[in-house]
Amino acid sequence: MRTLIVIIQKEFKQILRNPATIKLIFVMPILQLIILPNAADYEIKNINLHIIDHDHSALSRRLTENIRATGYFRIEGYGTDRKAARHAIETEKADIILNIPASFERNLVREGKSGLMIEVNAINGVKGGMGAAYMNSLIHRFNSDIRTEWTGDERFMQAGTIGTTSSFWFNPEMNYSFFMVPGILVLLLTIVAMNLTSINIVREKEIGTIEQINVSPIRKYEFILGKLVPQFILGMVAMTLGFGIARLFYGIVPMGSYLTIYLFAAVYMFTILGIGLLVSNYSATQQQAMLASFFIMMIFVLMSGQYTSIDSMPEWAKWIARVNPVTYFIEVMRRVVLKGAGPGDILPELGIMSAYALLTNSLAVFSYHKRS
Amino acid sequence: MQAIRIIDIEKSYPLKKGKTEALKGLRFDVEEGELFGLIGPDGAGKSTLFRILTTLILADKGEASVNGLDVVKDFMKIRRQVGYMPGKFSLYTDLTVEENLNFFATIFNTTVKENYHLIRNIYEQIEPFKHFRAGKLSGGMKQKLALSCALIHRPKTLFLDEPTTGVDALSRKEFWELLRSLRAEGITIMVSTPYMDEASLCDRVALIQSGKVMQIDTPEGLRNTYGKRLFAVKGPDMLHTLQRFRKMPAVEQAYPFGEVLHVVLRKDAPPFRMPEDVEASEIAPDIEDCFISLMHEHE
């Protein structure tokens, strides 16, 4: 026990004396939490629109005005020149072209129907898809508006219209930072824990201090635990800092209790620390360890459901997401923060994470050899 | 009792193609309380032997014991009883001198106070710097700190792998004086060095070359078994003189040695007359002469 305490003390001294780790633990979470949620927003704004208007009628101008008023579109060009519109798309100045044909208003009045064409630049799939969808719903509304206008009171209309109202549960204003910040907090904790541990044992290998440790009577578990505990504490400090910022900058206060989150975070931390130690054990240099943990982090982050919905992934990718520990913590975090889930509600996830923690750490202890 | 027994130890490291044999059947004993030197050039296998004896790696073949304990079966006991100072400085450079010492004392379940008498001579020299980080010390100071850390749990046997490499001449001399005072405390010391001049400071030395022991003896014994006549020669043009001697049939070997040439005559050499245009004097062999002669014979 005394040995363990001494190792932990030693680790703390080393960590706190290294200015790079301090920055990693304290400065990085603050900056990321302030910058990322504002940038990583699914709502698409500023879609560049080019309008080709061959009609020049009151109706086409009204449609243009309606589009402008939504705030989602920025009208980049307006005219009759198809070549100019094509050029705008090719030079990425425009994302969408809206074609209004010459007899748009006349046909609508005389024949009761008319057509519009939307052309979408699909290089940025998300922006194109969302833009087209916005545009469609906008035209649809415009359509029913003028129909109501022309036929008078809706009650006298021959064909009824179906109206829909939606309400967003757990996040009534559909505030994206409520959705993003808890996830980013998880990612921060993961990055801090993984980076610190993965280079830790390797560093001792590189400077040769591990030789001195290996010839000493220190037990394997004492050494590994001595490495884990300080990282664990630092990770928790980083997370607490993150919650402080979430509250201060985004007004995010978990609906559930902090206790539930910290309980899960504790188990989760051990899982990630175990992975970091494994990487450390199998790497010969710090550089190698950094690259390996970077690779793992990339997969963990991209397949965690933070930036893309898991339900829309192909089946094989869903399996990767399912074995990804980050997925579980983001899920739990959102449930507790937004939905107010209690410890009882996250039991299955807690069970899976405990199994993970046990697995990664036993592998870490097992794969660390004091002699080769 | 023998402090260290080495019986037919073999060890090879795998390479991409084939393997490199580091140790090819070493066999010797080190007596308790001896200051034993492993002398040999880089790549002779000295560090490999140290790593086997300190239970860091396993030998491919053969047996070894330290303080009567088997290096494979009783490795945990050995780790409590030996001190090891690797060739590369391997203390925590970001901890202070004092913190390093306390750390290593604690992990060996002891305190600095308990064994202070053992390291007093050494530690007093680095004590003024005890609040310095270990990485900021000079080479000689680092070695003294490393020795203090290796001694702090009062090991029965001490393994020092090239402790004086990269240390200035004065610090080297001091370091060897320290070793001799430790031997007086009854600690068995096995020390390796590439410097031949340090060999004469050991009780016994093993001359090692390419994983094999060439000879084991006291420094005195090594010199006595040399059995050949040796001259120190000084000539006007050293390179020319060297080539001239090498061509003489009575000369077995001629090589530069500091500012002079050493010329070794064959055992069965015919009567030899030293050329008159060089200054020459017959001398007693140095350990280095013994080593060079042995290397020549083994080739």
Side-chain angles (χ1 to χ4, degrees):
Chain A
M1 199 55 206
R2 219 179 109 217
T3 314
L4 186 61
I5 292 169
V6 162
I7 299 174
I8 292 171
Q9 274 176 354
K10 173 214 122 204
E11 287 296 324
F12 260 121
K13 278 181 193 157
Q14 288 187 299
I15 291 166
L16 297 179
R17 274 175 200 178
N18 185 351
T21 26
I22 301 293
K23 281 181 204 143
L24 190 71
I25 298 163
F26 296 104
V27 181
M28 196 185 76
I30 297 175
L31 283 181
Q32 295 214 19
L33 264 181
I34 293 172
I35 297 166
L36 280 183
N38 291 308
D41 188 332
Y42 292 131
E43 218 171 22
I44 306 258
K45 282 177 187 142
N46 302 327
I47 301 162
N48 296 310
L49 179 70
H50 193 105
I51 300 177
I52 303 176
D53 185 359
H54 288 295
D55 197 33
H56 287 296
S57 59
L59 201 62
S60 78
R61 270 192 296 277
R62 190 170 151 196
L63 176 62
T64 309
E65 220 30 67
N66 266 10
I67 292 168
R68 197 201 300 276
T70 57
Y72 291 113
F73 295 94
R74 240 189 48 212
I75 297 175
E76 179 271 331
Y78 182 90
T80 51
D81 189 358
R82 185 155 171 76
K83 253 192 194 153
R86 274 197 70 92
H87 187 71
I89 287 243
E90 276 159 10
T91 52
E92 312 240 319
K93 280 191 197 118
D95 300 307
I96 291 179
I97 305 176
L98 174 68
N99 289 281
I100 307 173
S103 43
F104 174 64
E105 187 175 359
R106 205 181 57 210
N107 285 354
L108 201 62
V109 174
R110 285 196 189 156
E111 295 162 32
K113 69 178 182 189
S114 188
L116 289 168
M117 182 168 77
I118 309 173
E119 287 166 280
V120 182
N121 178 4
I123 285 189
N124 184 339
V126 180
K127 206 173 181 185
M130 297 287 272
Y134 284 162
M135 183 61 82
N136 270 326
S137 66
L138 214 136
I139 293 170
H140 191 79
R141 213 170 49 230
F142 180 72
N143 189 11
S144 53
D145 279 355
I146 49 174
R147 260 177 70 182
T148 320
E149 237 170 71
W150 290 349
T151 51
D153 199 320
E154 242 177 292
R155 277 174 300 178
F156 304 117
M157 268 169 62
Q158 290 277 301
T161 47
I162 299 171
T164 46
T165 340
S166 37
S167 113
F168 298 109
W169 281 29
F170 309 119
N171 188 358
E173 286 162 26
M174 199 59 179
N175 185 335
Y176 277 94
S177 58
F178 281 17
F179 177 70
M180 294 302 284
V181 170
I184 289 176
L185 260 172
V186 171
L187 297 184
L188 283 178
L189 186 69
T190 316
I191 292 169
V192 169
M194 187 101 144
N195 276 334
L196 285 180
T197 39
S198 68
I199 56 172
N200 203 298
I201 291 185
V202 182
R203 194 158 143 256
E204 298 227 9
K205 272 193 216 170
E206 235 176 37
I207 6 177
T209 45
I210 202 136
E211 296 266 275
Q212 292 285 11
I213 296 291
N214 287 352
V215 292
S216 75
I218 290 183
R219 300 264 170 197
K220 266 208 284 193
Y221 77 88
E222 287 174 331
F223 183 66
I224 298 266
L225 217 61
K227 292 274 174 203
L228 284 184
V229 172
Q231 315 287 2
F232 178 83
I233 294 170
L234 288 174
M236 287 302 179
V237 169
M239 192 171 82
T240 310
L241 207 67
F243 271 120
I245 291 165
R247 188 169 198 155
L248 213 66
F249 281 77
Y250 304 101
I252 295 173
V253 183
M255 298 288 289
S257 80
Y258 279 112
L259 211 69
T260 318
I261 295 173
Y262 278 91
L263 172 72
F264 194 86
V267 183
Y268 175 79
M269 271 293 276
F270 272 109
T271 307
I272 297 299
L273 293 174
I275 296 173
L277 284 176
L278 265 175
V279 170
S280 208
N281 280 344
Y282 283 106
S283 309
T285 60
Q286 293 191 54
Q287 198 184 27
Q288 218 178 338
M290 281 297 268
L291 284 173
S293 61
F294 183 71
F295 171 75
I296 296 172
M297 278 300 304
M298 280 289 274
I299 294 178
F300 274 10
V301 170
L302 291 180
M303 308 209 74
S304 63
Q306 163 77 347
Y307 295 108
T308 43
S309 160
I310 293 170
D311 293 322
S312 56
M313 288 179 188
E315 195 55 33
W316 59 268
K318 273 185 200 166
W319 277 104
I320 298 180
R322 253 171 238 154
V323 296
N324 180 357
V326 182
T327 312
Y328 292 96
F329 195 18
I330 289 185
E331 173 70 29
V332 166
M333 189 73 120
R334 283 180 179 157
R335 260 197 256 161
V336 178
V337 172
L338 296 174
K339 227 167 148 180
D345 303 314
I346 56 160
L347 269 184
E349 283 82 4
L350 201 60
I352 292 171
M353 203 44 64
S354 306
Y356 254 129
L358 203 68
L359 180 76
T360 56
N361 284 292
S362 352
L363 281 176
V365 174
F366 184 71
S367 67
Y368 167 63
H369 297 290
K370 280 185 75 175
R371 94 158 120 191
S372 46
Chain B
M1 195 187 89
Q2 281 85 17
I4 303 167
R5 300 207 72 169
I6 298 160
I7 306 165
D8 302 330
I9 286 286
E10 283 178 33
K11 174 78 189 175
S12 57
Y13 294 108
L15 290 179
K16 257 184 190 161
K17 284 177 189 165
K19 55 184 181 176
T20 170
E21 284 177 276
L23 298 176
K24 303 170 188 164
L26 287 188
R27 181 176 205 138
F28 60 87
D29 295 340
V30 175
E31 300 294 325
E32 218 173 70
E34 234 181 343
L35 174 53
F36 190 91
L38 283 180
I39 318 288
D42 289 343
K46 295 173 303 217
S47 298
T48 304
L49 182 60
F50 274 117
R51 293 165 63 78
I52 290 171
L53 293 175
T54 50
T55 76
L56 284 173
I57 54 174
L58 293 169
D60 299 337
K61 269 185 197 152
E63 282 173 37
S65 66
V66 176
N67 305 333
L69 299 164
D70 187 87
V71 289
V72 182
K73 277 184 290 187
D74 302 318
F75 69 95
M76 215 45 193
K77 282 185 194 152
I78 291 181
R79 283 176 185 170
R80 274 189 212 107
Q81 296 183 3
V82 303
Y84 172 50
M85 189 175 146
K88 195 178 148 203
F89 181 72
S90 57
L91 299 177
Y92 293 101
T93 49
D94 44 3
L95 295 185
T96 67
V97 169
E98 205 178 21
E99 284 164 350
N100 265 299
L101 201 58
N102 280 325
F103 176 72
F104 284 102
T106 316
I107 60 174
F108 279 98
N109 262 320
T110 178
T111 57
V112 176
K113 224 176 175 179
E114 208 170 306
N115 292 313
Y116 188 71
H117 65 280
L118 207 57
I119 60 160
R120 187 194 291 133
N121 283 340
I122 315 162
Y123 191 64
E124 272 172 359
Q125 298 176 37
I126 46 175
E127 206 165 8
F129 310 104
K130 67 178 178 187
H131 296 302
F132 276 48
R133 301 218 178 146
K136 297 233 155 74
L137 296 177
S138 69
M141 291 289 176
K142 275 184 186 163
Q143 294 307 77
K144 282 170 194 158
L145 174 60
L147 183 61
S148 305
C149 289
L151 277 172
I152 196 61
H153 58 290
R154 201 187 195 300
K156 278 192 188 162
T157 308
L158 192 57
F159 292 95
L160 308 171
D161 192 359
E162 302 204 359
T164 54
T165 301
V167 174
D168 68 80
L170 186 68
S171 299
R172 269 169 62 189
K173 199 165 155 279
E174 274 179 14
F175 197 84
W176 277 89
E177 276 163 19
L178 286 173
L179 293 191
R180 295 187 75 82
S181 71
L182 286 176
R183 190 192 56 161
E185 294 270 349
I187 298 174
T188 310
I189 303 171
M190 189 185 215
V191 56
S192 75
T193 174
Y195 302 120
M196 306 289 168
D197 58 325
E198 291 178 346
S200 53
L201 302 167
C202 301
D203 294 329
R204 277 200 309 152
V205 294
L207 299 184
I208 298 185
Q209 164 81 358
S210 339
K212 275 188 205 149
V213 176
M214 297 193 292
Q215 198 175 356
I216 296 182
D217 212 332
T218 58
E220 207 47 41
L222 276 178
R223 287 193 212 112
N224 290 341
T225 52
Y226 189 66
K228 281 174 277 195
R229 291 180 74 195
L230 176 72
F231 293 90
V233 176
K234 223 173 175 177
D237 177 355
M238 291 299 258
L239 188 64
H240 178 74
T241 319
L242 179 66
Q243 281 161 349
R244 216 170 99 206
F245 275 104
R246 279 189 176 160
K247 281 182 194 140
M248 293 179 188
V251 173
E252 186 178 87
Q253 272 181 298
Y255 45 88
F257 197 99
E259 291 181 342
V260 296
L261 297 179
H262 277 190
V263 174
V264 188
L265 299 189
R266 287 186 196 287
K267 269 183 188 161
D268 51 352
F272 175 77
R273 262 196 44 214
M274 189 57 69
E276 278 170 11
D277 57 337
V278 297
E279 276 174 58
S281 55
E282 185 156 6
I283 52 162
D286 208 329
I287 301 288
E288 191 162 344
D289 295 306
C290 300
F291 193 87
I292 290 169
S293 151
L294 281 168
M295 258 171 68
H296 182 74
E297 281 164 25
H298 276 258
E299 265 166 18

